[in-house]
Amino acid sequence: MKVERELMRGAGPVAVLKLLSGGAKYGYELVDALATQTQGILSMGQSTLYPMLYNLEAQGLIIGKWSAAPSGRDRKYYSLTPQGQKRLARDSAQWQAVVQALGNLGVLRSATRLIPQWEAS
Amino acid sequence: MSQPSQNIQPVDYLIVPSRRGIARLGERNERQIQEFVEEIVRRTRLWPSEKNEVRVELGDHFDDGADAGHTAEQLLQSFGSPKLAAMLIRKAKRRGRPWMWHFWRRSLLACLGLACLVFMSFSLVYIRLHSAVGKTSDDLITIWDQSTKKIPESDRAWPDYRAALMALQGYKAPPSYLTVVKIATNGPRNSDWPGTLVFLDKNAKAIDLFVQGTKKPRLGYLYRDYGNNAWLVGFGYRSASEMYPVGMTSTSIMLPQIQELNFLHSLLRAAQVRALEDGKLAEFKRLWQAGARLASQLSHEEGSLIYQGTGKHYALSSLNTLRRLVRDYPKLLSDAELQAWRQEIQSDRWKSTVSLADNYRQSVQEFLQVGYTQRANGDGRLTFAGCRFLREHLVMVSEKDAIHWPQVLAEKYAAGLAGANGTNPNMFGRRSAVDKTFEEAAALRWSTTLANRKEMQQEFDLALKLLDEDCALPIREKLQQGSGSSPYLREMQRISGSPALFRRYWPVLLLLPRYDGTSRIFAPPHEVLVMHCEATLATIALEQFRRRTDQWPAKLEELVPQDLPKVPTDIYTGKPLVYRLVNGAPSLYSVFEDLKDDNGTAVPKINNTMGLQIGDLNFIPVED
């Protein structure tokens, strides 16, 4: 299932911030994590991911640093800034409220049951 | 799938892309991915350092993908559109640039936007100005020539005057124009008098032709007459078509006919003096009558104010010569002849019918008709021809002329029409590109600031009405009241004194007389002529009194009523002209515009502050 662009525009940055809250990651690592940890629902084209990273970096929410990985290759690792942590907390609370509200309306009632079906399809 | 991100070490050396992963995909696929990355990088149009970073990071991304076991096609497909990626990367990267860059960029954009706005506004004004067409394209020359053509050819004097000019012998050789004028004024006292006598003898035929022309009722000069070309070119002017191109404004109109008539008139005066010196009264009378008829011809000529001004000056000159005859050559005159001259002066030949304001009305009409479009409701907007009209008038404004309305001069400087000394550096169209740019800019500004047709017409109408009233006032009253009391001048000062009004109505100050004194000197009002006539009658009366009593009267009142109907009035004071006996000889004079009795001393100067003439104006003895 493909998530609408408008919804992705709101969810994408929070997802990236959340992934980075677990430690510094480079671009491909984030692509991979988004695909596997969200069962592909929040998987985004890399043509969107990298601009999103640059945007978050421009806003001061994440910081990118060139570093040598254990494998010896130089990569740009992105990590969360204190400002990014605050933003993540705020956005998480907001998403929580949205989920709660949608649940109250009955929109999310069968959401957990649907996920395996998508995986199967 | 991905490498654990522990134990990572920062690098501070130049980053270079790793190609180990992609290299495993084969040379062809490696090149394909590299080209894909390069395309994105190229499309971002970022700074080189930013491009390099993006290139390395994307290279690493594909390297990682290849390491994870994906094929080149899978990697490229999952990446998405390079165009979209480049656009989004460009936006995001630019957002992350330093605040100074954002500041300069926004400032630059604001400036560019402003420049575009200004350019578009000016373009609109420019198109609006250049597309506006006046009510008529007829210039004054066309109007004047149409009026002249209605005069029967047999009534036109100009063909005779032209023939007289063409018949002149030795015109270019000495005595020159100025010498002849001087000799005509000074007569035998001039050292060139013998040479002038030779010149007069040589040109007797030309003088006869000239005298013949004065017998015609009208001048009848046609400006766009190809028949004038031989004379024009022969006398150093350009041909009629070159001098009077269609569409020219009244300021550019040259009047060579006046210049050459001045020469003929001076020649006539010299011939008159010669006739007196030779004791030939009949010849003097013939020549004097010719001069008087020429004065009358020009005084009644429609068109340029210069005609009427010149006519009046010729009339004053004729009266001057007549006083000279009575005062300096009394033996030539019998009592009957004295009486005949008296009747001549009392005739209505000297009456003028043309008002000063009417002359300015003509110029104003020309400006409004050529310079404004005209809608059905009488309103309209300024045309480029109108701006050109104003520009040409501004060129003619000298610092001296603009002394009373300095803002008009300021407008001239603003329009780039003045050289270092305030005069026009290149008159008659020989202007540089910079000058023309200034003029074009001035035209654009004027088109947005000057009043529209209706408002301008109303202001001109009001000012001309006040000028009419001002001209109708006797000079004496105007001098007594002072310039500040004139409603006309007060209206001019109202416009001049308010920046808002000046911006809208400065052409009123430009086209109408700046100070009535200026016009008074240029084209003397009828009152002046009346005073000269009365003074000449008094001169004849004095001679008649002397012949009867063998002495001069002690007072002018003694002449009344037998020799003089009334004592001549000084128009400047309203009192009788000053009469004195100095060393046994009579002296008659006006105190002139400064109202101060200088004991008959003439000081031919103009007081620039007030535009008034100072010194006394002598009638007896006769001034040169």
Side-chain angles (χ1 to χ4, degrees), chain B residues 28 32 63 66 159 178 211 222 230 360 373 377 403 422 438 482 596 621:
Chain B
R28 186 169 156 273
Q32 193 183 359
D63 236 12
L178 286 175
V211 171
L222 277 170
Y360 288 100
T373 59
N377 64 359
I403 192 162
F438 267 114
K596 190 174 151 231

Side-chain angles (χ1 to χ4, degrees), chain A residues 32 50 55 68 73 75 78, chain B residues 1 9 57 64 67 95:
Chain A
D32 193 33
Y50 284 97
N55 259 328
R73 178 182 294 169
R75 288 200 183 96
Y78 294 95
Chain B
M1 194 173 183
Q9 299 297 319
E57 191 168 14
D64 288 333
D67 278 347
R95 194 171 294 162

Side-chain angles (χ1 to χ4, degrees), chain B residues 34-168:
Chain B
Q34 279 175 354
E35 282 171 1
F36 184 82
V37 171
E38 278 309 314
E39 188 189 349
I40 294 172
V41 170
R42 183 175 49 78
R43 280 176 183 268
T44 57
R45 290 180 285 120
L46 292 166
W47 291 341
S49 61
E50 291 171 328
K51 276 182 174 177
N52 190 43
E53 199 177 4
V54 172
R55 181 185 290 116
V56 174
E57 191 168 14
L58 293 182
D60 281 349
H61 170 86
F62 286 107
D63 236 12
D64 288 333
D67 278 347
H70 294 292
T71 63
E73 287 76 22
Q74 285 171 329
L75 287 171
L76 293 176
Q77 196 179 1
S78 66
F79 194 89
S81 158
K83 196 175 168 185
L84 177 69
M87 187 187 78
L88 295 172
I89 288 170
R90 176 178 164 75
K91 271 189 185 175
K93 278 284 181 190
R94 278 164 41 130
R95 194 171 294 162
R97 282 179 182 174
W99 70 268
M100 271 298 282
W101 179 85
H102 287 283
F103 173 77
W104 280 116
R105 183 168 172 268
R106 281 178 190 163
S107 304
L108 188 69
L109 284 175
C111 289
L112 280 173
L114 196 66
C116 283
L117 198 69
V118 169
F119 177 77
M120 282 171 68
S121 307
F122 268 86
S123 299
L124 280 174
V125 174
Y126 183 89
I127 292 166
R128 197 166 182 268
L129 174 67
H130 283 265
S131 62
V133 180
K135 189 191 173 191
T136 175
S137 58
D138 280 353
D139 51 35
L140 272 185
I141 295 283
T142 308
I143 295 163
W144 289 345
D145 277 356
Q146 279 168 355
S147 173
T148 304
K149 280 174 186 168
K150 289 176 189 162
I151 303 169
E153 283 189 34
S154 57
D155 285 354
R156 297 183 203 165
W158 177 252
D160 291 324
Y161 295 157
R162 189 177 58 202
L165 288 166
M166 297 295 279
L168 279 174

Side-chain angles (χ1 to χ4, degrees), chain B residues 379-514:
Chain B
D379 211 349
R381 65 178 198 267
L382 193 70
T383 66
F384 189 69
C387 295
R388 201 180 57 190
F389 182 96
L390 293 173
R391 202 176 65 210
E392 287 184 11
H393 272 76
L394 274 173
V395 165
M396 306 300 284
V397 176
S398 69
E399 280 169 336
K400 187 184 158 200
D401 286 343
I403 192 162
H404 296 286
W405 316 128
Q407 295 90 333
V408 172
L409 196 65
E411 195 63 40
K412 173 176 172 169
Y413 278 101
L417 296 168
N421 59 358
T423 55
N424 172 31
N426 308 298
M427 269 184 74
F428 306 118
R430 294 190 299 275
R431 302 186 65 71
S432 71
V434 176
D435 294 332
K436 284 178 182 167
T437 308
F438 267 114
E439 289 167 3
E440 190 75 39
L444 289 174
R445 188 160 57 85
W446 296 343
S447 72
T448 55
T449 54
L450 282 178
N452 61 27
R453 191 185 205 282
K454 216 171 188 175
E455 292 169 331
M456 192 64 87
Q457 170 98 56
Q458 281 167 354
E459 188 53 51
F460 267 119
D461 286 347
L462 171 65
L464 282 167
K465 180 177 155 279
L466 295 174
L467 180 62
D468 264 331
E469 290 169 10
D470 197 69
C471 290
L473 269 183
I475 291 177
R476 177 174 52 87
E477 282 185 34
K478 277 193 265 190
L479 290 174
Q480 281 171 356
Q481 289 171 359
S483 60
S485 64
S486 158
Y488 167 72
L489 290 176
R490 275 209 303 273
E491 178 61 16
M492 296 288 105
Q493 277 153 2
R494 189 177 74 91
I495 297 171
S496 177
S498 154
L501 287 176
F502 177 77
R503 265 197 303 276
R504 294 180 66 70
Y505 299 111
W506 62 263
V508 177
L509 303 181
L510 181 70
L511 300 186
L512 298 188
R514 291 165 193 85

